[in-house]
Amino acid sequence: MHVSARIELALDAALALGEREGHPPKLAQAMRHAVFPGGARIRPTLCLAVAAACGDDHPALADAMAASIELLHCASLVHDDLPCFDDAPTRRGQPSVHRAFGERLAVLAGDALIVLAFETLGRGAAEAPGRLPGLVSVLAAGVGMPCGIAAGQAWECEPRVVLGDYHRAKTGALFAAAAAGGALAAGADARAWRVLGEQLGEAYQVADDIRDSAATAQWLGKPSGRDLALDRPNITREQGLRHALGHFADLIAQAQQSVPPCRGATGLRRMVQRESERLVPKALLEEWLASAA
Amino acid sequence: MHVSARIELALDAALALGEREGHPPKLAQAMRHAVFPGGARIRPTLCLAVAAACGDDHPALADAMAASIELLHCASLVHDDLPCFDDAPTRRGQPSVHRAFGERLAVLAGDALIVLAFETLGRGAAEAPGRLPGLVSVLAAGVGMPCGIAAGQAWECEPRVVLGDYHRAKTGALFAAAAAGGALAAGADARAWRVLGEQLGEAYQVADDIRDSAATAQWLGKPSGRDLALDRPNITREQGLRHALGHFADLIAQAQQSVPPCRGATGLRRMVQRESERLVPKALLEEWLASAA
């Protein structure tokens, strides 16, 4: 089965867990709204790519880990869009969850998606429980304290923040979890794979900063120029577009070099290249350079 | 070690996991504010009491499960107090988390506490991983969809709600998880113990309704009369105080009868009796009856 089909099926199966008898219907709708239609699903794709490179001896567990990673990513978007944070009216080209369902259901949808992520992982590990403690730990490190997504968002509430620490927590940590989790789900050593996730996560964040500064809202599917409007750290604002683009290219090269020796190494490096071109398309760059000229 | 000392130590150890190098300090403070000083810690007490009755062959795992249950309870209080829900200014006699730290850190503290609960459980199960899938499932059922705390809060957003379903989800589910989790952590069958948790949870909710209607803010440590002010379902409003008190007594009796045969049965029944008298003190009742006369 194609990777993207595996991911969508695993996410649908996860959400179905919450839609068993007796559930409140609006919360179930809000959770589906947060997860479908998806974005690029880059994190679960990375997770499954690493699992495949490591032999993927337990595909149901790799699917569960990939779905859990994406559920946590979606949960963080729902809460990040709330009025007290970004107050984003749209996400992925449709109304944000709090605009469509109200603020209370948006808070609850985020909470329930976090819980569902761990539940999904636990179910996926029913036949390989020995791998579950490590996977739970990897998942928690990606989203919790001290250096996961919630910690990253919390740096926005501190008077002083080191840009690298902020990005590593807000974005890099879940990418690292995706790579490490893919390896662990396949029974491999997670440590060798974390660097790939960390570099790719940082590249993704730098690309996001570039796009926020350079892109139009129509192209992004969400408002652009939000970092400036919300006075959030952004590498293009702080160090200029030229520096940001160079840094992005370095990170992609480092990510490719970090792939440990394995049968699927060439395929993985190719995937990283494809992602890099999707993240910072040539057309967007040329348009921005023309308008800045 | 006394049960309450075990619980406080386990909670402190859990929070310390998030306070490792590189954490954002305000979020760590907000999480501690949400957890300490505690309330009655009735859910983790129940969890450890059941584990003890079942032999408590793995105390570190029982401690982890008890702490996880309480962390999830605290997370739900933080989010339930948010402006979009109850907008509660105080909790346990001190400012609510969003009043003390702002709304953004309150959202993040709830999120990070949910993640920390699963992380704590995963670490506690490192030496008994075979028990972890069941424990994760029990924990998720207590707080997620379709019938856990988040589902219970979501019923407040539906046009029609059955009072029993609402209470079972919002309160009963985590009590059931505490009892079932205590048994599972000790390697026992969870099913026989769920009823104790369910009955005690419902009794607790009925007591909360009675207290909200009858008590003073000073006595509760939080504002009273909130259900009326917020138009939330409350059994004393809907069926009268006399009915609510009778129902409470029935539930306590059923909880005591549900304790499965085991060495610690008498002690557990005594604990339930003590809890019942703490929940609805005679003094409070007499005061209310006098003022209503």
Side-chain angles (χ1 to χ4, degrees):
Chain A
M1 196 190 299
H2 193 272
V3 163
S4 70
R6 273 178 75 176
I7 293 167
E8 299 308 308
L9 276 177
L11 287 169
D12 184 68
L15 285 165
L17 285 177
E19 293 160 350
R20 286 165 296 174
E21 204 187 329
H23 72 270
K26 284 184 190 167
L27 179 54
Q29 288 159 27
M31 290 167 75
R32 283 213 170 251
H33 186 92
V35 177
F36 298 111
R41 308 286 198 212
I42 177 171
R43 295 162 191 78
T45 302
L46 174 63
C47 179
L48 289 184
V50 173
C54 295
D56 202 13
D57 69 343
H58 205 317
L61 182 53
D63 286 353
M65 186 63 181
S68 300
I69 293 272
E70 183 67 10
L71 292 171
L72 289 169
H73 171 59
C74 294
S76 80
L77 297 181
V78 174
H79 282 184
D80 211 22
D81 285 345
L82 283 171
C84 67
F85 288 102
D86 293 1
D87 198 15
T90 58
R91 169 67 69 178
R92 292 170 178 166
Q94 62 178 356
S96 54
V97 174
H98 70 276
R99 287 290 174 102
F101 293 89
E103 204 176 332
R104 292 188 295 168
L105 283 165
V107 171
L108 295 173
D111 292 354
L113 286 169
I114 298 172
V115 173
L116 188 61
F118 287 96
E119 183 176 14
T120 298
L121 183 61
R123 285 185 171 246
E127 286 164 32
R131 295 181 190 172
L132 187 53
L135 286 166
V136 167
S137 172
V138 160
L139 210 54
V143 289
M145 286 278 268
C147 302
I149 293 178
Q153 285 185 265
W155 279 115
E156 294 174 16
C157 306
E158 294 286 343
R160 250 173 294 231
V161 49
V162 179
L163 193 62
D165 292 350
Y166 168 68
H167 282 171
R168 256 189 297 282
K170 191 161 179 189
T171 307
L174 196 57
F175 275 84
L184 270 184
D189 182 3
R191 282 167 298 182
W193 291 94
R194 288 197 72 88
V195 179
L196 171 63
E198 284 163 3
Q199 304 285 10
L200 210 48
E202 197 178 338
Y204 186 85
Q205 181 62 56
V206 171
D208 207 45
D209 283 5
I210 293 171
R211 289 142 56 106
D212 187 78
S213 302
T216 63
Q218 193 183 10
W219 188 84
L220 280 177
K222 64 179 181 181
S224 65
R226 301 292 288 173
D227 292 339
L228 183 61
L230 298 163
D231 193 28
R232 281 192 311 202
N234 180 308
I235 192 172
T236 62
R237 270 173 69 201
E238 294 177 22
Q239 304 184 31
L241 182 68
R242 190 171 302 273
H243 175 88
L245 289 170
H247 190 43
F248 176 75
D250 288 347
L251 289 165
I252 292 295
Q254 286 162 18
Q256 290 176 315
Q257 283 157 21
S258 80
V259 174
C262 64
R263 219 176 43 183
T266 310
L268 257 178
R269 288 193 192 101
R270 222 179 280 135
M271 189 208 86
V272 171
Q273 193 56 42
R274 273 199 311 274
E275 273 307 313
S276 127
E277 285 161 18
R278 195 186 57 74
L279 287 171
V280 182
K282 282 185 192 159
L284 177 70
L285 264 183
E286 283 160 8
E287 181 190 313
W288 193 90
L289 288 168
S291 75
Chain B
M1 196 188 300
H2 194 271
V3 163
S4 70
R6 273 178 74 175
I7 293 168
E8 300 308 308
L9 276 177
L11 287 168
D12 184 66
L15 285 164
L17 285 177
E19 293 159 352
R20 285 166 295 173
E21 202 187 330
H23 72 271
K26 285 186 190 165
L27 180 54
Q29 287 160 25
M31 290 167 74
R32 285 217 169 247
H33 185 93
V35 176
F36 298 110
R41 308 285 198 213
I42 176 170
R43 295 160 191 79
T45 302
L46 174 62
C47 180
L48 289 184
V50 172
C54 295
D56 201 12
D57 69 343
H58 205 316
L61 182 53
D63 285 353
M65 185 63 180
S68 300
I69 293 271
E70 183 67 10
L71 292 172
L72 290 168
H73 171 58
C74 293
S76 81
L77 296 181
V78 174
H79 282 184
D80 210 22
D81 285 345
L82 283 171
C84 67
F85 288 102
D86 293 2
D87 198 15
T90 58
R91 168 68 66 179
R92 293 169 175 166
Q94 63 178 354
S96 54
V97 175
H98 70 277
R99 287 289 175 101
F101 294 88
E103 204 174 334
R104 293 188 296 169
L105 283 165
V107 171
L108 295 173
D111 292 355
L113 286 169
I114 298 173
V115 173
L116 187 61
F118 287 96
E119 183 176 13
T120 298
L121 183 60
R123 284 184 172 247
E127 285 163 34
R131 295 182 189 171
L132 187 53
L135 285 166
V136 167
S137 171
V138 159
L139 210 53
V143 288
M145 284 279 269
C147 302
I149 292 179
Q153 284 185 265
W155 280 115
E156 294 175 14
C157 306
E158 295 285 343
R160 248 172 295 229
V161 49
V162 178
L163 191 61
D165 292 349
Y166 168 68
H167 281 172
R168 257 189 296 280
K170 190 160 179 191
T171 307
L174 196 57
F175 274 83
L184 271 183
D189 182 4
R191 281 167 299 182
W193 290 93
R194 287 197 73 86
V195 179
L196 170 63
E198 284 163 3
Q199 304 285 10
L200 209 49
E202 197 178 338
Y204 186 85
Q205 181 62 56
V206 171
D208 208 45
D209 283 6
I210 293 170
R211 288 143 54 108
D212 187 78
S213 302
T216 62
Q218 195 184 8
W219 189 83
L220 280 178
K222 63 179 181 181
S224 65
R226 301 293 291 175
D227 292 340
L228 183 61
L230 298 163
D231 193 28
R232 283 192 309 200
N234 179 308
I235 193 172
T236 60
R237 270 174 70 202
E238 295 176 22
Q239 303 185 31
L241 181 70
R242 190 171 301 273
H243 175 87
L245 289 169
H247 189 43
F248 176 76
D250 287 348
L251 289 164
I252 292 295
Q254 286 162 20
Q256 292 177 313
Q257 284 157 22
S258 80
V259 174
C262 65
R263 219 176 41 181
T266 309
L268 257 179
R269 289 195 192 98
R270 223 180 277 136
M271 188 209 87
V272 172
Q273 192 58 41
R274 273 199 310 273
E275 272 307 313
S276 129
E277 284 161 18
R278 194 186 58 76
L279 287 171
V280 182
K282 281 184 192 159
L284 178 69
L285 263 182
E286 282 161 8
E287 182 190 313
W288 193 90
L289 288 167
S291 75

